[in-house]
Amino acid sequence: MLNHKSVQVIGVPLDLGVSKLGVDMGPTALRYAGIFEALRYAGIDYRDAGDIDVLRNFSLDPLSPAEREQAKLREIIRTSETLARFTAKAIEDGHMPIVLGGDHSTAIGSVAGAAKARGRIGLIWIDAHPDANTPETSPSGNVHGMPLAISLGHGMPELVNCLGFAPKVRPEDVCIVGAKDIDPEERKFLTRMGIRMFTTFDIENRGLARVMQEAVDVVSRGTNGVYVSFDADVMDKRVAPGTGITTRGGLTYREISFIMRSIGAGVELIGFDIIEVNPLLDKANGTAELCVELAMAMLGVKYTDYEKKYLTDNRPTAVERDERNDS
């Protein structure tokens, strides 16, 4: 639910936490998909803060492998600190930050900023992957698989101590929704930390309404607002092909829509990320347009009329997407 005087959109074209190119163009794809038109149509005041200046993967090509990894880490640290300050100031000034990523290492800075501004926050992590690895447990070594662990105070000290404090969130205030691909050591870490996680199996077994009621309860109890980090790869690849790691059996259109509306209706939302949109892998920017629709759902906006009026004819309608996904 929107309790802020306006929205501040912050782009983070960060692709240094992943191996696959393209997510650095996510902020542009989401702007092109009509996020400002949607906000304006809904009567929500907004400001586009532009993109944070970030080195890209391709700019590091001349470096040796060791130099490249060091440069990537330095830039992720710098970007995280910058984004954290932007996010904290937006919230302190009464605005809701919407952070357009970028790979999921973007969340290191956005969650840090939200926690700096509000203190004890709830965190809903909507992702096919918990992103709770550390350098010792990560199969790939990619930082985009580590931001939740970092936010909980585990991992590389330079990132864990973003903005000079740690942890950013307490384990009892975190809930993961939609996880499907969980590394064995990651699962052990989450169990040891007592993190509440609802996998796709839990959603099928227990029912989505019950899952979301529990999720809302977990992140709202004793916290000063809820931040949401939403990774597009949580959705089935037939619904959202424009993301770096597509999976069979991800969330359907109906399921992700219900999740977003449940969040919008049930929590004091202080900000959110839209992460891992990759237009190089997308079809007619449909994944970005769907993510805009889902962002509006979190803000409590009825999107159907806007969709009919503004979006391009080559995008599947909500009904067509659902029918395709259920087939």
Side-chain angles (χ1 to χ4, degrees):
M1 59 188 74
L2 187 62
N3 295 321
H4 297 66
K5 61 185 179 184
S6 72
V7 161
Q8 184 160 309
V9 177
I10 306 167
V12 189
L14 179 67
D15 68 347
L16 299 173
V18 293
S19 302
K20 192 176 291 185
L21 296 179
V23 291
D24 59 315
M25 293 182 278
T28 299
L30 289 159
R31 288 188 177 94
Y32 185 74
I35 190 165
F36 299 123
E37 291 86 348
L39 290 167
R40 187 161 56 245
Y41 179 79
I44 298 172
D45 291 334
Y46 67 88
R47 174 178 177 265
D48 184 3
D51 286 355
I52 291 174
D53 188 25
V54 185
L55 287 176
R56 313 294 172 85
N57 255 310
F58 62 82
S59 67
L60 304 179
D61 285 345
L63 302 179
S64 70
E67 291 172 333
R68 182 182 176 87
E69 290 307 308
Q70 291 173 1
K72 284 168 65 174
L73 179 57
R74 284 196 302 270
E75 187 65 2
I76 292 172
I77 294 167
R78 188 192 68 80
T79 301
S80 298
E81 294 280 348
T82 302
L83 175 59
R85 290 193 296 271
F86 272 59
T87 305
K89 188 171 190 316
I91 295 173
E92 289 164 355
D93 290 346
H95 308 295
M96 176 182 288
I98 299 178
V99 176
L100 311 180
D103 70 64
H104 219 150
S105 58
T106 301
I108 297 168
S110 59
V111 173
K116 180 72 172 178
R118 282 294 189 96
R120 184 179 175 185
I121 62 168
L123 177 62
I124 301 181
W125 199 268
I126 305 173
D127 197 336
H129 314 89
D131 294 342
N133 273 303
T134 64
E136 293 73 32
T137 65
S138 172
S140 68
N142 289 332
V143 178
H144 80 140
M146 305 179 190
L148 181 54
I150 288 168
S151 297
L152 288 161
H154 297 264
M156 289 175 272
E158 310 96 312
L159 292 170
V160 166
N161 293 311
C162 180
L163 285 188
F165 71 102
K168 307 307 188 290
V169 290
R170 304 181 186 185
E172 63 267 28
D173 298 332
V174 176
C175 191
I176 301 167
V177 177
K180 183 176 182 291
D181 185 5
I182 308 161
D183 296 324
E185 292 302 316
E186 205 174 24
R187 189 182 290 275
K188 290 178 185 176
F189 171 80
L190 294 168
T191 300
R192 187 169 68 250
M193 295 292 290
I195 302 294
R196 198 74 178 90
M197 177 168 62
F198 296 104
T199 65
T200 50
F201 176 81
D202 295 320
I203 290 170
E204 285 291 318
N205 188 45
R206 304 183 62 186
L208 189 52
R210 183 178 173 188
V211 162
M212 287 311 300
Q213 184 58 61
E214 290 189 29
V216 165
D217 289 346
V218 167
V219 298
S220 300
R221 194 179 303 123
T223 62
N224 302 318
V226 175
Y227 196 86
V228 175
S229 196
F230 163 52
D231 189 324
D233 74 15
V234 76
M235 296 179 280
D236 189 272
K237 66 179 183 178
R238 293 172 296 174
V239 177
T243 187
I245 306 176
T246 55
T247 57
R248 289 190 178 95
L251 298 180
T252 67
Y253 173 78
R254 286 180 181 172
E255 288 169 339
I256 191 63
S257 298
F258 185 89
I259 287 168
M260 296 311 199
R261 294 202 177 278
S262 297
I263 292 170
V267 307
E268 181 190 349
L269 185 64
I270 58 173
F272 58 89
D273 306 325
I274 306 174
I275 297 293
E276 300 277 4
V277 173
N278 190 331
L280 293 183
L281 304 174
D282 208 359
K283 297 178 181 177
N285 213 35
T287 301
E289 290 182 350
L290 175 55
C291 287
V292 170
E293 176 182 340
L294 296 170
M296 293 303 108
M298 269 196 287
L299 295 175
V301 176
K302 182 182 177 184
Y303 198 75
T304 307
D305 294 339
Y306 164 78
E307 185 177 32
K308 290 177 182 176
K309 185 172 181 180
Y310 286 101
L311 294 183
T312 55
D313 292 337
N314 60 0
R315 178 191 172 196
T317 66
V319 173
E320 289 169 342
R321 277 196 306 273
D322 204 37
E323 288 175 347
R324 181 178 61 187
N325 194 53
D326 287 342
S327 63

